[in-house]
Every structure is written in C-alpha cells, then in structure tokens.
Amino acid sequence: MKEFSTEVEAADALHQAYKKLSAEIGKVVIGQDEVVRLLLTSIFCQGHCLLVGVPGLAKTLLIQTISSALDLKFSRIQFTPDLMPSDILGAETLDKDRNFKFIKGPVFANIVLADEINRTPPKTQAALLESMQEYAVTIAGQKYDLERPFFVLATQNPIEQEGTYPLPEAQLDRFMFNVLLDYPAYDKEVDIVKSTTSDVKATVEHVLTGDEIIYFQHLVRKVPIADNVIEYAVKLVHKTRPNTDKAAPVANDYLEWGAGPRASQYLVVGAKCNALLNGKYSPDIEDVIAVAKPTLRHRIVRNFKAEAEGISIDDIIDNLIKSN
C-alpha cells in the first residue's frame, strides 16, 4: 500500500480512486451513477447498504462488479424461504476422527451479497445481525471474528409480496443506506442493450485493495467538520420524531415513528465521505442533504394518514429538509 505524506494527499488519492472506481464500474453497469456513489460511500464509511428495486435493474450485477473493482473476497447468498441460519454462518460438523470442526459459511467474506433478503423468515434474517454490528459470528459459544473490511450489501424486491418477510425495523437500522433503484433513462437503456447483446465482455480492473479501503475508512472518520453542520444533521433527525419538542409539523401529521441516534451518526459520517469523494476536505450542509434520503427513508415510519393520502417517505424527507 502506498504511504501518504499528509492526510490532504490521502484525501486527494481517495477522490481519484473514487473517479477510477466509478469509471471501472461504469464499464459494466450503465446509468446508475448515483447508486454507485451511495454504495461506495457506505463502503468507505464502514456501513452496510440495502438496494431496493424491481427485478432486472442489475442490482446483483452492480454488487458483483464493485467487488471485482475492489479486489475483495466476494460471497453471494441467495435468500429463500427454506434457508437456515447455519447456511449463512456455518456449522460444527464431525470430522473423520469424530471431533467437532467448524465449517465456515458464506458470511466469512469481505463483501456479502444478501440477494432478496426479504424472501427468508426472520430467524434466518437475524443470523446477519451480529455480523453486521459486531463483525463477528458466535457458534456454540465460540466467537469467530470476520475479516475486515466487511460489508453486507443486500437486495430487496419491493413489488413481489407473496412469500416475502419484511425486514424488522431493528434490522433495517443496521443498514447505513436504503438505496432505491429506478428504471434507466431511455438513452441509457439503449446503451445497456447495445453492450449486453454483443459478444464483447468488459474487463473490470482492480482499483483498491482491502488494506487501502481500511485506510480510507479511518481517513473518513478524521475529516474535520464544523459544529453547525453537525447541529444541522442532528436537528434534521430530531424533526422526524413526532410529538417531541423539535418535531416538524409534517412529522406530527404523517409519521408514526422517527429516526434514532444512529441516523445522526450516519448523516455526519456520510457527509464527511461525500465531501472527500467530491474533492472537498470538509463537509458542509449540502453534503448532509446529499445523504439524507438514503439514511432516513428506512428509519422513519409513516402513519395511516400518510398512506391514505399517498404521501411517500421521500416526500416527507423533502419537506423536512426544506423546513430545517
């Protein structure tokens, strides 16, 4: 790994690495620049990410491509109704000498793709909770540390309701971002069809190693931030909490539950990373706003009135930002 003489030089290196990563990922995944930015932001912030989109929008391909560009050990878990916790974590088995031996499961990787995470029962979903929070797995009273860096990048289909199990709020809160994938624009879809219906296969080059990612993760935490930016982020979160002294009118009208302190933490660290990725050395309020929707949309719960009037979570967040 290259040594940097100053943290400013390291910040510039992260900015350049981000541009190169975006270019490499763009060879395979076309028209999802904003999604790529948020995914890479969560990785550099030591966070996990939930991708929500209808089938066929290249959610799985995007995560596989990112793992290739980052030169990390990749593991894919297809969540199904009959999946068991041991299928994720691993299990103890008897070897030929009749001694118990732990066989590691697919969670022992750097990037874990939890594909269609809402298609498995809560018991199996909960198998990821310890690994996402503690970066470890406990089996039969023995704790096994996971190799760093470690990320869970999960996908979810929002329209297929039969045979699905919605993630509980406690597990949703473990994800730094909830990123929505939309249909590509017309010209982007033309490019997608051209690139995927030919015999030419794009080659993704490695850009960063695991050690470099860990270094940049620590660098993000060191970024200086003004008190007024932190106060803006915390105030924005407090406005989501209905029937409190700092609640916004839209929260009292349309929210059942607001975001917790983890939202404030992720808003600040996400703003720091967003600033570095854009070539700045310290975040401002615009950087907080840039990560507000993916940070808040899975941490606030609409009430019946909002659902009846067709008020979306993103509409509420937009209103909160305007009033903050």
PDB file of all heavy atoms in Angstrom, residues 34-35 37-39 41-42 48-51 172 175-180 263 266-267 270 274 287-299 313-314 317 321:
ATOM      1  N   GLU A  34     -25.643   7.544  -9.528  1.00  0.00           N
ATOM      2  CA  GLU A  34     -25.992   7.954  -8.173  1.00  0.00           C
ATOM      3  C   GLU A  34     -25.993   6.758  -7.225  1.00  0.00           C
ATOM      4  O   GLU A  34     -25.540   6.857  -6.075  1.00  0.00           O
ATOM      5  CB  GLU A  34     -27.374   8.617  -8.171  1.00  0.00           C
ATOM      6  CG  GLU A  34     -27.900   9.041  -6.808  1.00  0.00           C
ATOM      7  CD  GLU A  34     -27.081  10.153  -6.162  1.00  0.00           C
ATOM      8  OE1 GLU A  34     -26.197  10.731  -6.832  1.00  0.00           O
ATOM      9  OE2 GLU A  34     -27.330  10.440  -4.970  1.00  0.00           O
ATOM     10  N   VAL A  35     -26.476   5.624  -7.694  1.00  0.00           N
ATOM     11  CA  VAL A  35     -26.490   4.409  -6.873  1.00  0.00           C
ATOM     12  C   VAL A  35     -25.066   3.967  -6.569  1.00  0.00           C
ATOM     13  O   VAL A  35     -24.745   3.583  -5.439  1.00  0.00           O
ATOM     14  CB  VAL A  35     -27.274   3.288  -7.589  1.00  0.00           C
ATOM     15  CG1 VAL A  35     -27.185   1.982  -6.804  1.00  0.00           C
ATOM     16  CG2 VAL A  35     -28.726   3.697  -7.783  1.00  0.00           C
ATOM     17  N   ARG A  37     -22.443   5.879  -6.414  1.00  0.00           N
ATOM     18  CA  ARG A  37     -21.878   6.828  -5.443  1.00  0.00           C
ATOM     19  C   ARG A  37     -22.299   6.475  -4.025  1.00  0.00           C
ATOM     20  O   ARG A  37     -21.474   6.466  -3.097  1.00  0.00           O
ATOM     21  CB  ARG A  37     -22.336   8.254  -5.784  1.00  0.00           C
ATOM     22  CG  ARG A  37     -21.818   9.315  -4.807  1.00  0.00           C
ATOM     23  CD  ARG A  37     -22.387  10.691  -5.119  1.00  0.00           C
ATOM     24  NE  ARG A  37     -23.799  10.800  -4.819  1.00  0.00           N
ATOM     25  CZ  ARG A  37     -24.291  11.059  -3.600  1.00  0.00           C
ATOM     26  NH1 ARG A  37     -23.460  11.219  -2.576  1.00  0.00           N
ATOM     27  NH2 ARG A  37     -25.592  11.160  -3.400  1.00  0.00           N
ATOM     28  N   LEU A  38     -23.566   6.172  -3.833  1.00  0.00           N
ATOM     29  CA  LEU A  38     -24.053   5.859  -2.494  1.00  0.00           C
ATOM     30  C   LEU A  38     -23.496   4.536  -1.988  1.00  0.00           C
ATOM     31  O   LEU A  38     -23.162   4.399  -0.807  1.00  0.00           O
ATOM     32  CB  LEU A  38     -25.580   5.835  -2.493  1.00  0.00           C
ATOM     33  CG  LEU A  38     -26.263   7.185  -2.707  1.00  0.00           C
ATOM     34  CD1 LEU A  38     -27.763   7.026  -2.880  1.00  0.00           C
ATOM     35  CD2 LEU A  38     -25.966   8.131  -1.532  1.00  0.00           C
ATOM     36  N   LEU A  39     -23.379   3.560  -2.866  1.00  0.00           N
ATOM     37  CA  LEU A  39     -22.811   2.269  -2.466  1.00  0.00           C
ATOM     38  C   LEU A  39     -21.361   2.427  -2.017  1.00  0.00           C
ATOM     39  O   LEU A  39     -20.959   1.899  -0.973  1.00  0.00           O
ATOM     40  CB  LEU A  39     -22.894   1.273  -3.626  1.00  0.00           C
ATOM     41  CG  LEU A  39     -24.100   0.337  -3.655  1.00  0.00           C
ATOM     42  CD1 LEU A  39     -24.118  -0.460  -4.950  1.00  0.00           C
ATOM     43  CD2 LEU A  39     -24.080  -0.603  -2.472  1.00  0.00           C
ATOM     44  N   THR A  41     -19.965   5.174  -1.008  1.00  0.00           N
ATOM     45  CA  THR A  41     -19.962   5.970   0.220  1.00  0.00           C
ATOM     46  C   THR A  41     -20.171   5.088   1.438  1.00  0.00           C
ATOM     47  O   THR A  41     -19.464   5.214   2.450  1.00  0.00           O
ATOM     48  CB  THR A  41     -21.060   7.051   0.165  1.00  0.00           C
ATOM     49  OG1 THR A  41     -20.811   7.936  -0.930  1.00  0.00           O
ATOM     50  CG2 THR A  41     -21.098   7.862   1.458  1.00  0.00           C
ATOM     51  N   SER A  42     -21.127   4.170   1.361  1.00  0.00           N
ATOM     52  CA  SER A  42     -21.381   3.288   2.503  1.00  0.00           C
ATOM     53  C   SER A  42     -20.175   2.404   2.799  1.00  0.00           C
ATOM     54  O   SER A  42     -19.858   2.144   3.963  1.00  0.00           O
ATOM     55  CB  SER A  42     -22.626   2.431   2.251  1.00  0.00           C
ATOM     56  OG  SER A  42     -22.390   1.459   1.245  1.00  0.00           O
ATOM     57  N   HIS A  48     -23.298  -0.726   5.879  1.00  0.00           N
ATOM     58  CA  HIS A  48     -23.936  -1.723   5.023  1.00  0.00           C
ATOM     59  C   HIS A  48     -25.028  -1.028   4.213  1.00  0.00           C
ATOM     60  O   HIS A  48     -25.511   0.043   4.583  1.00  0.00           O
ATOM     61  CB  HIS A  48     -24.532  -2.841   5.872  1.00  0.00           C
ATOM     62  CG  HIS A  48     -23.576  -3.413   6.869  1.00  0.00           C
ATOM     63  ND1 HIS A  48     -22.503  -4.193   6.519  1.00  0.00           N
ATOM     64  CD2 HIS A  48     -23.514  -3.267   8.222  1.00  0.00           C
ATOM     65  CE1 HIS A  48     -21.830  -4.539   7.608  1.00  0.00           C
ATOM     66  NE2 HIS A  48     -22.421  -3.988   8.648  1.00  0.00           N
ATOM     67  N   CYS A  49     -25.430  -1.651   3.127  1.00  0.00           N
ATOM     68  CA  CYS A  49     -26.343  -0.975   2.199  1.00  0.00           C
ATOM     69  C   CYS A  49     -27.445  -1.926   1.743  1.00  0.00           C
ATOM     70  O   CYS A  49     -27.193  -3.105   1.474  1.00  0.00           O
ATOM     71  CB  CYS A  49     -25.550  -0.469   0.992  1.00  0.00           C
ATOM     72  SG  CYS A  49     -26.384   0.819   0.061  1.00  0.00           S
ATOM     73  N   LEU A  50     -28.664  -1.405   1.669  1.00  0.00           N
ATOM     74  CA  LEU A  50     -29.820  -2.151   1.180  1.00  0.00           C
ATOM     75  C   LEU A  50     -30.265  -1.537  -0.141  1.00  0.00           C
ATOM     76  O   LEU A  50     -30.600  -0.353  -0.205  1.00  0.00           O
ATOM     77  CB  LEU A  50     -30.954  -2.087   2.206  1.00  0.00           C
ATOM     78  CG  LEU A  50     -32.269  -2.781   1.834  1.00  0.00           C
ATOM     79  CD1 LEU A  50     -32.062  -4.292   1.701  1.00  0.00           C
ATOM     80  CD2 LEU A  50     -33.348  -2.486   2.879  1.00  0.00           C
ATOM     81  N   LEU A  51     -30.268  -2.359  -1.200  1.00  0.00           N
ATOM     82  CA  LEU A  51     -30.700  -1.903  -2.524  1.00  0.00           C
ATOM     83  C   LEU A  51     -32.111  -2.397  -2.785  1.00  0.00           C
ATOM     84  O   LEU A  51     -32.380  -3.600  -2.704  1.00  0.00           O
ATOM     85  CB  LEU A  51     -29.771  -2.461  -3.615  1.00  0.00           C
ATOM     86  CG  LEU A  51     -28.343  -1.925  -3.666  1.00  0.00           C
ATOM     87  CD1 LEU A  51     -27.562  -2.651  -4.759  1.00  0.00           C
ATOM     88  CD2 LEU A  51     -28.336  -0.447  -3.938  1.00  0.00           C
ATOM     89  N   LEU A 172     -33.388  -3.212   9.777  1.00  0.00           N
ATOM     90  CA  LEU A 172     -33.255  -2.123   8.813  1.00  0.00           C
ATOM     91  C   LEU A 172     -32.294  -1.054   9.320  1.00  0.00           C
ATOM     92  O   LEU A 172     -31.524  -0.476   8.554  1.00  0.00           O
ATOM     93  CB  LEU A 172     -34.625  -1.496   8.525  1.00  0.00           C
ATOM     94  CG  LEU A 172     -35.571  -2.268   7.605  1.00  0.00           C
ATOM     95  CD1 LEU A 172     -36.942  -1.607   7.592  1.00  0.00           C
ATOM     96  CD2 LEU A 172     -35.003  -2.354   6.200  1.00  0.00           C
ATOM     97  N   PHE A 175     -28.568  -1.082   8.473  1.00  0.00           N
ATOM     98  CA  PHE A 175     -28.101  -0.642   7.161  1.00  0.00           C
ATOM     99  C   PHE A 175     -27.891   0.869   7.183  1.00  0.00           C
ATOM    100  O   PHE A 175     -28.775   1.623   7.599  1.00  0.00           O
ATOM    101  CB  PHE A 175     -29.108  -0.998   6.068  1.00  0.00           C
ATOM    102  CG  PHE A 175     -29.181  -2.469   5.765  1.00  0.00           C
ATOM    103  CD1 PHE A 175     -30.173  -3.264   6.308  1.00  0.00           C
ATOM    104  CD2 PHE A 175     -28.243  -3.055   4.928  1.00  0.00           C
ATOM    105  CE1 PHE A 175     -30.244  -4.614   6.038  1.00  0.00           C
ATOM    106  CE2 PHE A 175     -28.308  -4.410   4.638  1.00  0.00           C
ATOM    107  CZ  PHE A 175     -29.305  -5.193   5.194  1.00  0.00           C
ATOM    108  N   MET A 176     -26.738   1.302   6.726  1.00  0.00           N
ATOM    109  CA  MET A 176     -26.463   2.737   6.660  1.00  0.00           C
ATOM    110  C   MET A 176     -27.400   3.418   5.673  1.00  0.00           C
ATOM    111  O   MET A 176     -27.987   4.452   5.972  1.00  0.00           O
ATOM    112  CB  MET A 176     -25.014   2.975   6.247  1.00  0.00           C
ATOM    113  CG  MET A 176     -24.660   4.451   6.110  1.00  0.00           C
ATOM    114  SD  MET A 176     -22.931   4.692   5.671  1.00  0.00           S
ATOM    115  CE  MET A 176     -22.863   6.497   5.639  1.00  0.00           C
ATOM    116  N   PHE A 177     -27.522   2.840   4.475  1.00  0.00           N
ATOM    117  CA  PHE A 177     -28.324   3.439   3.417  1.00  0.00           C
ATOM    118  C   PHE A 177     -29.405   2.479   2.939  1.00  0.00           C
ATOM    119  O   PHE A 177     -29.200   1.252   2.906  1.00  0.00           O
ATOM    120  CB  PHE A 177     -27.453   3.789   2.199  1.00  0.00           C
ATOM    121  CG  PHE A 177     -26.556   4.985   2.382  1.00  0.00           C
ATOM    122  CD1 PHE A 177     -25.401   5.113   1.617  1.00  0.00           C
ATOM    123  CD2 PHE A 177     -26.847   5.973   3.303  1.00  0.00           C
ATOM    124  CE1 PHE A 177     -24.560   6.202   1.770  1.00  0.00           C
ATOM    125  CE2 PHE A 177     -26.012   7.072   3.467  1.00  0.00           C
ATOM    126  CZ  PHE A 177     -24.868   7.186   2.696  1.00  0.00           C
ATOM    127  N   ASN A 178     -30.532   3.047   2.556  1.00  0.00           N
ATOM    128  CA  ASN A 178     -31.561   2.348   1.798  1.00  0.00           C
ATOM    129  C   ASN A 178     -31.614   3.045   0.435  1.00  0.00           C
ATOM    130  O   ASN A 178     -32.081   4.177   0.326  1.00  0.00           O
ATOM    131  CB  ASN A 178     -32.904   2.441   2.513  1.00  0.00           C
ATOM    132  CG  ASN A 178     -34.032   1.755   1.767  1.00  0.00           C
ATOM    133  OD1 ASN A 178     -34.003   1.602   0.557  1.00  0.00           O
ATOM    134  ND2 ASN A 178     -35.051   1.348   2.506  1.00  0.00           N
ATOM    135  N   VAL A 179     -31.105   2.373  -0.589  1.00  0.00           N
ATOM    136  CA  VAL A 179     -30.942   2.993  -1.908  1.00  0.00           C
ATOM    137  C   VAL A 179     -32.000   2.445  -2.858  1.00  0.00           C
ATOM    138  O   VAL A 179     -32.128   1.223  -3.018  1.00  0.00           O
ATOM    139  CB  VAL A 179     -29.532   2.724  -2.474  1.00  0.00           C
ATOM    140  CG1 VAL A 179     -29.365   3.399  -3.840  1.00  0.00           C
ATOM    141  CG2 VAL A 179     -28.460   3.224  -1.503  1.00  0.00           C
ATOM    142  N   LEU A 180     -32.743   3.339  -3.482  1.00  0.00           N
ATOM    143  CA  LEU A 180     -33.772   2.941  -4.440  1.00  0.00           C
ATOM    144  C   LEU A 180     -33.207   2.957  -5.856  1.00  0.00           C
ATOM    145  O   LEU A 180     -32.598   3.940  -6.270  1.00  0.00           O
ATOM    146  CB  LEU A 180     -34.973   3.882  -4.353  1.00  0.00           C
ATOM    147  CG  LEU A 180     -35.676   3.992  -2.999  1.00  0.00           C
ATOM    148  CD1 LEU A 180     -36.878   4.918  -3.104  1.00  0.00           C
ATOM    149  CD2 LEU A 180     -36.105   2.624  -2.493  1.00  0.00           C
ATOM    150  N   ALA A 263     -29.127   7.425  12.974  1.00  0.00           N
ATOM    151  CA  ALA A 263     -29.335   8.234  11.775  1.00  0.00           C
ATOM    152  C   ALA A 263     -28.453   9.481  11.807  1.00  0.00           C
ATOM    153  O   ALA A 263     -27.852   9.857  10.794  1.00  0.00           O
ATOM    154  CB  ALA A 263     -30.804   8.628  11.658  1.00  0.00           C
ATOM    155  N   TYR A 266     -24.836   8.453  11.038  1.00  0.00           N
ATOM    156  CA  TYR A 266     -24.609   8.134   9.625  1.00  0.00           C
ATOM    157  C   TYR A 266     -24.726   9.369   8.735  1.00  0.00           C
ATOM    158  O   TYR A 266     -24.061   9.459   7.705  1.00  0.00           O
ATOM    159  CB  TYR A 266     -25.587   7.050   9.160  1.00  0.00           C
ATOM    160  CG  TYR A 266     -25.175   5.652   9.538  1.00  0.00           C
ATOM    161  CD1 TYR A 266     -26.118   4.691   9.897  1.00  0.00           C
ATOM    162  CD2 TYR A 266     -23.830   5.269   9.517  1.00  0.00           C
ATOM    163  CE1 TYR A 266     -25.739   3.401  10.241  1.00  0.00           C
ATOM    164  CE2 TYR A 266     -23.441   3.990   9.862  1.00  0.00           C
ATOM    165  CZ  TYR A 266     -24.399   3.058  10.223  1.00  0.00           C
ATOM    166  OH  TYR A 266     -24.012   1.778  10.554  1.00  0.00           O
ATOM    167  N   LEU A 267     -25.569  10.323   9.111  1.00  0.00           N
ATOM    168  CA  LEU A 267     -25.644  11.568   8.347  1.00  0.00           C
ATOM    169  C   LEU A 267     -24.310  12.308   8.382  1.00  0.00           C
ATOM    170  O   LEU A 267     -23.831  12.815   7.358  1.00  0.00           O
ATOM    171  CB  LEU A 267     -26.745  12.471   8.901  1.00  0.00           C
ATOM    172  CG  LEU A 267     -28.185  12.187   8.482  1.00  0.00           C
ATOM    173  CD1 LEU A 267     -29.137  13.116   9.218  1.00  0.00           C
ATOM    174  CD2 LEU A 267     -28.367  12.322   6.979  1.00  0.00           C
ATOM    175  N   GLY A 270     -21.514  10.096   6.668  1.00  0.00           N
ATOM    176  CA  GLY A 270     -21.810  10.071   5.238  1.00  0.00           C
ATOM    177  C   GLY A 270     -21.484  11.397   4.575  1.00  0.00           C
ATOM    178  O   GLY A 270     -20.992  11.439   3.448  1.00  0.00           O
ATOM    179  N   ASN A 274     -18.902  11.988   1.576  1.00  0.00           N
ATOM    180  CA  ASN A 274     -19.393  12.636   0.359  1.00  0.00           C
ATOM    181  C   ASN A 274     -18.514  13.821  -0.022  1.00  0.00           C
ATOM    182  O   ASN A 274     -18.242  14.064  -1.203  1.00  0.00           O
ATOM    183  CB  ASN A 274     -20.840  13.090   0.551  1.00  0.00           C
ATOM    184  CG  ASN A 274     -21.494  13.526  -0.735  1.00  0.00           C
ATOM    185  OD1 ASN A 274     -21.816  12.714  -1.591  1.00  0.00           O
ATOM    186  ND2 ASN A 274     -21.695  14.826  -0.893  1.00  0.00           N
ATOM    187  N   ASP A 287     -23.610  18.466   1.802  1.00  0.00           N
ATOM    188  CA  ASP A 287     -23.183  17.068   1.892  1.00  0.00           C
ATOM    189  C   ASP A 287     -24.118  16.265   2.791  1.00  0.00           C
ATOM    190  O   ASP A 287     -24.361  15.079   2.542  1.00  0.00           O
ATOM    191  CB  ASP A 287     -21.740  16.991   2.412  1.00  0.00           C
ATOM    192  CG  ASP A 287     -20.736  17.576   1.434  1.00  0.00           C
ATOM    193  OD1 ASP A 287     -20.642  17.062   0.307  1.00  0.00           O
ATOM    194  OD2 ASP A 287     -20.062  18.561   1.785  1.00  0.00           O
ATOM    195  N   VAL A 288     -24.641  16.892   3.836  1.00  0.00           N
ATOM    196  CA  VAL A 288     -25.626  16.221   4.685  1.00  0.00           C
ATOM    197  C   VAL A 288     -26.894  15.939   3.884  1.00  0.00           C
ATOM    198  O   VAL A 288     -27.456  14.836   3.931  1.00  0.00           O
ATOM    199  CB  VAL A 288     -25.957  17.073   5.927  1.00  0.00           C
ATOM    200  CG1 VAL A 288     -27.056  16.411   6.757  1.00  0.00           C
ATOM    201  CG2 VAL A 288     -24.710  17.277   6.782  1.00  0.00           C
ATOM    202  N   ILE A 289     -27.335  16.948   3.126  1.00  0.00           N
ATOM    203  CA  ILE A 289     -28.546  16.783   2.311  1.00  0.00           C
ATOM    204  C   ILE A 289     -28.358  15.681   1.264  1.00  0.00           C
ATOM    205  O   ILE A 289     -29.294  14.924   0.954  1.00  0.00           O
ATOM    206  CB  ILE A 289     -28.917  18.119   1.639  1.00  0.00           C
ATOM    207  CG1 ILE A 289     -29.317  19.143   2.711  1.00  0.00           C
ATOM    208  CG2 ILE A 289     -30.038  17.947   0.628  1.00  0.00           C
ATOM    209  CD1 ILE A 289     -29.538  20.550   2.179  1.00  0.00           C
ATOM    210  N   ALA A 290     -27.127  15.545   0.741  1.00  0.00           N
ATOM    211  CA  ALA A 290     -26.851  14.550  -0.301  1.00  0.00           C
ATOM    212  C   ALA A 290     -27.055  13.123   0.187  1.00  0.00           C
ATOM    213  O   ALA A 290     -27.329  12.221  -0.623  1.00  0.00           O
ATOM    214  CB  ALA A 290     -25.423  14.728  -0.826  1.00  0.00           C
ATOM    215  N   VAL A 291     -26.914  12.897   1.496  1.00  0.00           N
ATOM    216  CA  VAL A 291     -27.070  11.537   2.026  1.00  0.00           C
ATOM    217  C   VAL A 291     -28.317  11.408   2.899  1.00  0.00           C
ATOM    218  O   VAL A 291     -28.532  10.360   3.526  1.00  0.00           O
ATOM    219  CB  VAL A 291     -25.817  11.104   2.821  1.00  0.00           C
ATOM    220  CG1 VAL A 291     -24.600  11.053   1.925  1.00  0.00           C
ATOM    221  CG2 VAL A 291     -25.565  12.024   4.020  1.00  0.00           C
ATOM    222  N   ALA A 292     -29.148  12.445   2.947  1.00  0.00           N
ATOM    223  CA  ALA A 292     -30.295  12.447   3.859  1.00  0.00           C
ATOM    224  C   ALA A 292     -31.333  11.381   3.498  1.00  0.00           C
ATOM    225  O   ALA A 292     -31.788  10.629   4.366  1.00  0.00           O
ATOM    226  CB  ALA A 292     -30.937  13.835   3.885  1.00  0.00           C
ATOM    227  N   LYS A 293     -31.732  11.314   2.235  1.00  0.00           N
ATOM    228  CA  LYS A 293     -32.796  10.376   1.858  1.00  0.00           C
ATOM    229  C   LYS A 293     -32.408   8.918   2.086  1.00  0.00           C
ATOM    230  O   LYS A 293     -33.162   8.174   2.728  1.00  0.00           O
ATOM    231  CB  LYS A 293     -33.217  10.613   0.409  1.00  0.00           C
ATOM    232  CG  LYS A 293     -34.121  11.812   0.227  1.00  0.00           C
ATOM    233  CD  LYS A 293     -34.640  11.904  -1.198  1.00  0.00           C
ATOM    234  CE  LYS A 293     -35.549  13.115  -1.365  1.00  0.00           C
ATOM    235  NZ  LYS A 293     -36.049  13.231  -2.759  1.00  0.00           N
ATOM    236  N   PRO A 294     -31.261   8.454   1.563  1.00  0.00           N
ATOM    237  CA  PRO A 294     -30.920   7.044   1.807  1.00  0.00           C
ATOM    238  C   PRO A 294     -30.681   6.718   3.272  1.00  0.00           C
ATOM    239  O   PRO A 294     -30.845   5.568   3.680  1.00  0.00           O
ATOM    240  CB  PRO A 294     -29.646   6.837   0.976  1.00  0.00           C
ATOM    241  CG  PRO A 294     -29.097   8.199   0.744  1.00  0.00           C
ATOM    242  CD  PRO A 294     -30.275   9.109   0.686  1.00  0.00           C
ATOM    243  N   THR A 295     -30.320   7.727   4.077  1.00  0.00           N
ATOM    244  CA  THR A 295     -30.090   7.491   5.501  1.00  0.00           C
ATOM    245  C   THR A 295     -31.393   7.425   6.283  1.00  0.00           C
ATOM    246  O   THR A 295     -31.532   6.627   7.224  1.00  0.00           O
ATOM    247  CB  THR A 295     -29.203   8.607   6.097  1.00  0.00           C
ATOM    248  OG1 THR A 295     -27.966   8.655   5.382  1.00  0.00           O
ATOM    249  CG2 THR A 295     -28.903   8.339   7.559  1.00  0.00           C
ATOM    250  N   LEU A 296     -32.385   8.223   5.905  1.00  0.00           N
ATOM    251  CA  LEU A 296     -33.604   8.354   6.697  1.00  0.00           C
ATOM    252  C   LEU A 296     -34.769   7.493   6.209  1.00  0.00           C
ATOM    253  O   LEU A 296     -35.642   7.143   7.022  1.00  0.00           O
ATOM    254  CB  LEU A 296     -34.055   9.821   6.724  1.00  0.00           C
ATOM    255  CG  LEU A 296     -33.139  10.819   7.425  1.00  0.00           C
ATOM    256  CD1 LEU A 296     -33.664  12.240   7.246  1.00  0.00           C
ATOM    257  CD2 LEU A 296     -33.025  10.494   8.910  1.00  0.00           C
ATOM    258  N   ARG A 297     -34.814   7.138   4.935  1.00  0.00           N
ATOM    259  CA  ARG A 297     -36.052   6.570   4.399  1.00  0.00           C
ATOM    260  C   ARG A 297     -36.421   5.218   5.023  1.00  0.00           C
ATOM    261  O   ARG A 297     -37.598   4.843   5.010  1.00  0.00           O
ATOM    262  CB  ARG A 297     -36.003   6.459   2.868  1.00  0.00           C
ATOM    263  CG  ARG A 297     -34.987   5.544   2.288  1.00  0.00           C
ATOM    264  CD  ARG A 297     -35.292   5.268   0.791  1.00  0.00           C
ATOM    265  NE  ARG A 297     -35.355   6.450  -0.020  1.00  0.00           N
ATOM    266  CZ  ARG A 297     -34.410   6.835  -0.895  1.00  0.00           C
ATOM    267  NH1 ARG A 297     -33.304   6.103  -1.023  1.00  0.00           N
ATOM    268  NH2 ARG A 297     -34.550   7.917  -1.607  1.00  0.00           N
ATOM    269  N   HIS A 298     -35.474   4.470   5.576  1.00  0.00           N
ATOM    270  CA  HIS A 298     -35.817   3.198   6.215  1.00  0.00           C
ATOM    271  C   HIS A 298     -35.839   3.307   7.743  1.00  0.00           C
ATOM    272  O   HIS A 298     -35.991   2.296   8.434  1.00  0.00           O
ATOM    273  CB  HIS A 298     -34.843   2.103   5.788  1.00  0.00           C
ATOM    274  CG  HIS A 298     -33.398   2.403   6.057  1.00  0.00           C
ATOM    275  ND1 HIS A 298     -32.771   3.508   5.555  1.00  0.00           N
ATOM    276  CD2 HIS A 298     -32.459   1.745   6.779  1.00  0.00           C
ATOM    277  CE1 HIS A 298     -31.507   3.509   5.948  1.00  0.00           C
ATOM    278  NE2 HIS A 298     -31.294   2.457   6.699  1.00  0.00           N
ATOM    279  N   ARG A 299     -35.709   4.540   8.257  1.00  0.00           N
ATOM    280  CA  ARG A 299     -35.688   4.739   9.702  1.00  0.00           C
ATOM    281  C   ARG A 299     -36.907   5.498  10.212  1.00  0.00           C
ATOM    282  O   ARG A 299     -37.037   5.706  11.415  1.00  0.00           O
ATOM    283  CB  ARG A 299     -34.409   5.485  10.112  1.00  0.00           C
ATOM    284  CG  ARG A 299     -33.160   4.650   9.932  1.00  0.00           C
ATOM    285  CD  ARG A 299     -31.917   5.359  10.474  1.00  0.00           C
ATOM    286  NE  ARG A 299     -30.826   4.416  10.586  1.00  0.00           N
ATOM    287  CZ  ARG A 299     -29.947   4.165   9.616  1.00  0.00           C
ATOM    288  NH1 ARG A 299     -30.041   4.820   8.470  1.00  0.00           N
ATOM    289  NH2 ARG A 299     -28.996   3.271   9.780  1.00  0.00           N
ATOM    290  N   ILE A 313     -42.472   8.422   1.732  1.00  0.00           N
ATOM    291  CA  ILE A 313     -41.389   8.718   2.673  1.00  0.00           C
ATOM    292  C   ILE A 313     -40.487   9.819   2.116  1.00  0.00           C
ATOM    293  O   ILE A 313     -40.092  10.749   2.830  1.00  0.00           O
ATOM    294  CB  ILE A 313     -40.562   7.444   2.959  1.00  0.00           C
ATOM    295  CG1 ILE A 313     -41.372   6.467   3.817  1.00  0.00           C
ATOM    296  CG2 ILE A 313     -39.254   7.792   3.645  1.00  0.00           C
ATOM    297  CD1 ILE A 313     -41.560   6.890   5.254  1.00  0.00           C
ATOM    298  N   ASP A 314     -40.147   9.726   0.823  1.00  0.00           N
ATOM    299  CA  ASP A 314     -39.272  10.731   0.217  1.00  0.00           C
ATOM    300  C   ASP A 314     -39.924  12.112   0.200  1.00  0.00           C
ATOM    301  O   ASP A 314     -39.231  13.133   0.352  1.00  0.00           O
ATOM    302  CB  ASP A 314     -38.886  10.315  -1.206  1.00  0.00           C
ATOM    303  CG  ASP A 314     -37.796   9.240  -1.213  1.00  0.00           C
ATOM    304  OD1 ASP A 314     -37.457   8.732  -0.124  1.00  0.00           O
ATOM    305  OD2 ASP A 314     -37.285   8.913  -2.297  1.00  0.00           O
ATOM    306  N   ILE A 317     -39.370  13.474   3.668  1.00  0.00           N
ATOM    307  CA  ILE A 317     -37.978  13.875   3.876  1.00  0.00           C
ATOM    308  C   ILE A 317     -37.692  15.196   3.160  1.00  0.00           C
ATOM    309  O   ILE A 317     -37.007  16.086   3.691  1.00  0.00           O
ATOM    310  CB  ILE A 317     -37.010  12.770   3.406  1.00  0.00           C
ATOM    311  CG1 ILE A 317     -37.197  11.515   4.253  1.00  0.00           C
ATOM    312  CG2 ILE A 317     -35.554  13.240   3.507  1.00  0.00           C
ATOM    313  CD1 ILE A 317     -36.420  10.302   3.755  1.00  0.00           C
ATOM    314  N   ILE A 321     -36.324  18.591   4.960  1.00  0.00           N
ATOM    315  CA  ILE A 321     -35.113  19.307   4.547  1.00  0.00           C
ATOM    316  C   ILE A 321     -35.419  20.780   4.284  1.00  0.00           C
ATOM    317  O   ILE A 321     -34.658  21.675   4.682  1.00  0.00           O
ATOM    318  CB  ILE A 321     -34.501  18.649   3.291  1.00  0.00           C
ATOM    319  CG1 ILE A 321     -33.927  17.270   3.636  1.00  0.00           C
ATOM    320  CG2 ILE A 321     -33.402  19.514   2.684  1.00  0.00           C
ATOM    321  CD1 ILE A 321     -33.505  16.444   2.437  1.00  0.00           C
TER     322      ILE A 321
END
